[in-house]
């Protein structure tokens, strides 16, 4: 290409490129489309002739060293319906003008590594690949509805406001990644509603200044272990991995940024789908993590891994995966919103060290199902999940349910004990329910008292001191044997021998056990009061 003439564009520009040059100076749209939808679809099979082709080097010249605008206008590139031939290489450059490229085809990859933009909008474009490591924008980066054949790289990119990739489709690169954005920082929102990926989405260490939305997204990675790999991701507000409501009428192509909406009851919607593992380990989320309506298709050995995440609210209200595991070990949340049908079964759930302070179940989640949830997470007995659940229920005023959880803990522990200890556990369960139902212990004491009174009413033992003893009373004697510490003046005054001595010893022993149980139960009630 010849150098730019003093009073005009390069001499070797085609007519189409010359038109693009003039619209750049005027700040108007260079529209090379035919106004026929099938012919203008950049993802279709229709051939585009030379009347729609511009060279990538001319586009680069405009963006990096373009001409002065027409007086009274702001120079910018607004290109529609063009086929851009060659590789567009802006690496390391600074692009001052506003850039908006819509419904265009790129023959070669777009190279934006370490490039600085104001705002860059690529809408509904077909691109072989986008290399944009350490890209810096002062404003937005929009890639709505684009289809990228060999993935995009945004490693350590700095986006000044919003990143929008809604409705885009990303295939994998030669390393199996559809989106490689490790260390990326977005000052405001990431909008990726209904995005489709075929390869790993890598967001390790990425930071989002507001919310991150993947509502209705479909993440698929049949080639590797994970579809979404985002450990240490930080989102200052909410991460949405949820369903999205579908519009009842066709969206306006001129407004490609507002198509997503909240699902309505009974209305059409598209679920968030993740076919492959999902990893958010050590993530920090300022408001919540929302899995409403999410669907997971995992293979054996794959996980929905949420280890050590921290968020005020965790909404796990999707569909339970049929295979694979869900891991929330070490996670810390304030409010857990879940459904009984959202969690996988035994051996496929791990929540060791999972801390939550409030439960807000969606739908019917009875205590029996909640206990199944804890049991599913502990194939080997562990007391901590039971104690955590009991503490949360007790703090919420559900004392009876909290006791049931602790009883379930003892019963679960009993199965791990040797035979003798297990037999003692069964006895405690049958008699006093491990001390969590002191009323039953009091009832047993009453039964034993009646039995003892009946037993000793037919036998009047000899007094130890013939001239110094109280009047014999079988009921008081039996009660004096049963009640420890308290002295009713009967025990120790009579000579009990033989089998009667064994009966008296049995009443004393059982009295100590039952009285201790009643005292412990009453103490718990007083502490809660």
């Amino acid at each position: 290409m010849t150098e730019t003439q003093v009073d005009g564009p390069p001499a070797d520009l085609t007519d189409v490129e010359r038109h693009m040059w003039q619209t750049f100076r005027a700040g108007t749209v260079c529209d090379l489309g035919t106004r026929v939808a099938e012919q203008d679809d950049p993802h279709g099979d229709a051939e585009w002739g030379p009347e729609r082709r511009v060279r990538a080097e001319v586009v680069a010249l405009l963006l990096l060293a373009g001409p002065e605008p027409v007086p009274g206008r702001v120079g910018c590139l607004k290109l529609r319906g063009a086929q851009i031939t060659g590789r567009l290489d802006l690496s390391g450059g600074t692009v001052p003008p506003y850039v908006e490229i819509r419904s265009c085809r790129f023959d070669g990859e777009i190279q934006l590594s370490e490039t600085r933009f104001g705002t860059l909008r690529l809408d509904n474009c077909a691109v072989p690949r986008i290399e944009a490591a350490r890209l810096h924008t002062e404003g937005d980066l929009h890639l709505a509805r684009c289809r990228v054949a060999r993935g995009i790289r945004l490693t350590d990119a700095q986006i000044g406001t919003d990143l929008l990739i809604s409705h885009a489709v990303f295939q994998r690169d030669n390393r199996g990644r559809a989106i490689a954005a490790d260390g990326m920082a977005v000052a405001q929102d990431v909008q990726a509603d209904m995005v489709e990926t075929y390869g790993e989405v890598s967001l390790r260490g990425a930071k989002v200044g507001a919310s991150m939305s993947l509502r209705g997204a479909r993440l698929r990675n049949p080639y590797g272990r994970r579809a979404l790999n985002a450990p240490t991701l930080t989102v200052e507000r909410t991460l949405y991995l949820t369903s999205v409501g579908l519009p009842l009428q066709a969206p306006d192509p001129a407004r490609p940024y507002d198509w997503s909406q909240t699902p309505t009851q009974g209305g059409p919607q598209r679920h968030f789908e993740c076919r492959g593992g999902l990893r958010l380990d050590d993530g920090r989320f300022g408001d919540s993590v929302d899995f409403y309506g999410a669907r997971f298709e995992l293979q054996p050995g794959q996980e929905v891994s949420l280890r050590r995440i921290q968020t005020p609210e965790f909404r796990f209200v999707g569909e339970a995966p049929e295979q694979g595991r869900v891991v929330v070990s070490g996670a810390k949340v304030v409010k857990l919103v879940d459904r009984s049908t959202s969690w996988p079964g035994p051996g496929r759930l791990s929540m060791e060290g999972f801390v939550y302070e409030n439960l807000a179940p969606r739908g019917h989640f009875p205590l029996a199902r909640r206990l199944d949830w804890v049991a599913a997470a502990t194939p080997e007995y562990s007391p901590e999940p039971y104690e955590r659940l009991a503490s949360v229920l007790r703090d919420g005023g559900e004392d009876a349910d909290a006791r049931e959880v602790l009883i379930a803990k003892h019963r679960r522990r009993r199965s791990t004990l040797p035979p003798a200890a297990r037999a003692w556990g069964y006895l405690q369960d049958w008699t006093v329910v491990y001390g969590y139902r002191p009323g039953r212990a009091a009832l047993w004491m009453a039964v034993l008292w009646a039995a003892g009174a009946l037993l000793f009413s037919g036998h009047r033992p000899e007094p130890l001191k013939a001239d110094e003893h109280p009047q014999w009373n079988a009921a008081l004697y039996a009660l004096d044997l049963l009640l420890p510490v308290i002295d009713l003046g009967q025990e120790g005054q009579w000579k009990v021998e033989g089998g009667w001595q064994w009966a008296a010893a049995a009443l004393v022993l059982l009295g100590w056990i039952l009285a201790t149980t009643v005292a412990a139960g009453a103490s718990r009630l007083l502490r809660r009061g």
Side-chain angles (χ1 to χ4, degrees):
M1 180 182 296
T2 60
E3 294 185 359
T4 305
Q5 297 177 357
V6 174
D7 58 349
D12 62 346
L13 295 188
T14 66
D15 291 341
V16 177
E17 292 168 347
R18 196 174 300 276
H19 174 57
M20 179 177 66
W21 193 276
Q22 297 303 324
T23 58
F24 177 90
R25 294 191 65 212
T28 57
V29 177
C30 178
D31 191 347
L32 305 180
T34 65
R35 307 293 182 181
V36 178
E38 293 78 9
Q39 294 294 325
D40 289 342
D41 183 4
H43 315 294
D45 297 327
E47 292 288 338
W48 289 4
E51 71 281 0
R52 302 183 68 169
R53 295 174 188 163
V54 296
R55 287 171 290 172
E57 56 186 300
V58 178
V59 175
L61 181 61
L62 273 175
L63 297 178
L64 296 174
E68 291 295 323
V70 173
R73 292 310 215 21
V74 177
C76 61
L77 180 63
K78 296 181 179 179
L79 184 61
R80 296 182 183 177
Q83 181 169 346
I84 300 172
T85 61
R87 186 178 73 160
L88 179 59
D89 190 350
L90 304 172
S91 301
T94 298
V95 180
Y98 171 82
V99 182
E100 182 179 290
I101 301 176
R102 291 190 175 184
S103 301
C104 292
R105 289 178 179 172
F106 289 80
D107 289 350
E109 71 176 34
I110 301 176
Q111 177 59 258
L112 305 176
S113 297
E114 301 188 25
T115 308
R116 299 182 71 88
F117 279 90
T119 292
L120 173 59
R121 289 185 175 178
L122 301 181
D123 174 51
N124 194 33
C125 293
V127 188
R129 176 165 174 78
I130 300 176
E131 277 280 353
R134 297 173 298 283
L135 169 73
H136 185 101
T137 71
E138 296 295 333
D140 296 345
L141 173 60
H142 288 193
L143 302 169
R145 300 187 297 168
C146 288
R147 296 186 184 180
V148 186
R150 298 195 304 276
I152 180 173
R153 185 181 180 208
L154 287 167
T155 305
D156 296 319
Q158 304 285 322
I159 310 302
T161 50
D162 296 333
L163 170 63
L164 190 143
I165 57 174
S166 296
H167 301 264
V169 179
F170 297 93
Q171 303 286 343
R172 61 177 177 144
D173 61 15
N174 55 11
R175 298 182 62 185
R177 293 180 176 178
I179 300 175
D182 299 340
M184 176 182 69
V186 180
Q188 296 184 17
D189 292 323
V190 173
Q191 299 178 38
D193 296 339
M194 299 182 71
V195 71
E196 295 188 25
T197 59
Y198 298 85
E200 182 180 284
V201 177
S202 183
L203 296 168
R204 294 180 297 178
K207 294 180 172 60
V208 179
S211 294
M212 181 173 182
S213 175
L214 284 89
R215 296 182 298 173
R218 291 177 176 172
L219 311 183
R220 303 178 177 93
N221 186 16
Y223 321 102
R225 184 178 178 184
R226 298 185 182 96
L228 176 59
N229 185 24
T232 66
L233 171 67
T234 299
V235 179
E236 294 296 332
R237 296 185 65 184
T238 298
L239 173 63
Y240 295 98
L241 304 174
T242 69
S243 298
V244 64
L246 300 178
L248 298 177
Q249 57 185 7
D252 182 0
R255 301 180 62 192
Y257 312 115
D258 323 324
W259 292 357
S260 302
Q261 52 189 290
T262 302
T264 57
Q265 187 69 28
Q269 59 181 282
R270 178 165 130 170
H271 293 272
F272 169 84
E273 294 182 1
C274 184
R275 299 183 183 180
L278 181 147
R279 183 186 181 202
L280 295 175
D281 296 352
D282 299 293
R284 300 293 183 268
F285 308 94
D287 286 348
S288 64
V289 178
D290 194 346
F291 283 90
Y292 175 80
R295 292 176 175 174
F296 300 98
E297 294 186 20
L298 306 178
Q299 299 300 318
Q302 293 180 338
E303 296 178 343
V304 175
S305 181
L306 306 167
R307 292 174 173 87
R308 299 175 300 280
I309 68 167
Q310 294 186 21
T311 181
E313 185 168 335
F314 178 39
R315 305 173 196 146
F316 198 73
V317 286
E319 300 179 8
E322 296 182 359
Q323 300 186 83
R325 303 173 69 227
V326 173
V327 183
V328 291
S329 299
K332 294 182 179 181
V333 306
V334 177
K335 183 178 181 181
L336 174 61
V337 182
D338 61 350
R339 284 197 182 109
S340 62
T341 57
S342 297
W343 300 99
R348 298 194 298 114
L349 172 61
S350 177
M351 57 181 186
E352 182 179 355
F354 179 32
V355 177
Y356 51 96
E357 298 179 16
N358 301 300
L359 287 172
R362 293 278 183 90
H364 188 51
F365 205 147
L367 182 62
R369 294 294 298 273
R370 186 66 76 180
L371 290 173
D372 291 341
W373 172 65
V374 175
T378 52
E380 296 183 358
Y381 168 72
S382 174
E384 194 276 334
Y386 290 94
E387 292 167 358
R388 167 58 51 182
L389 177 58
S391 175
V392 170
L393 292 172
R394 187 163 50 245
D395 291 343
E398 303 290 340
D399 288 348
D401 286 350
R403 287 195 296 273
E404 290 296 329
V405 172
L406 294 174
I407 291 168
K409 180 191 78 169
H410 285 286
R411 289 171 177 166
R412 182 77 184 279
R413 178 178 178 271
R414 184 176 65 203
S415 63
T416 67
L417 299 176
R422 194 179 310 161
W424 174 245
Y426 276 111
L427 179 61
Q428 284 186 301
D429 193 358
W430 183 61
T431 55
V432 295
V433 196
Y434 291 99
Y436 288 101
R437 292 181 185 165
R440 183 180 292 189
L443 178 62
W444 275 108
M445 288 194 73
V447 170
L448 289 173
W449 179 27
L454 182 63
L455 177 67
F456 286 107
S457 64
H459 171 71
R460 184 182 185 282
E462 293 295 325
L464 289 175
K465 298 179 180 179
D467 55 347
E468 189 179 327
H469 62 83
Q471 183 177 356
W472 169 252
N473 187 311
L476 279 178
Y477 182 73
L479 187 59
D480 204 2
L481 291 174
L482 278 171
L483 294 178
V485 181
I486 299 175
D487 186 5
L488 299 179
Q490 289 286 332
E491 185 184 3
Q493 300 294 326
W494 309 96
K495 186 186 298 182
V496 183
E497 300 176 331
W500 301 104
Q501 189 175 17
W502 283 103
L507 284 176
V508 171
L509 180 61
L510 291 173
W512 271 101
I513 294 173
L514 294 174
T516 303
T517 300
V518 171
S523 175
R524 280 192 294 270
L525 287 173
L526 289 172
R527 283 200 303 269
R528 284 194 293 275

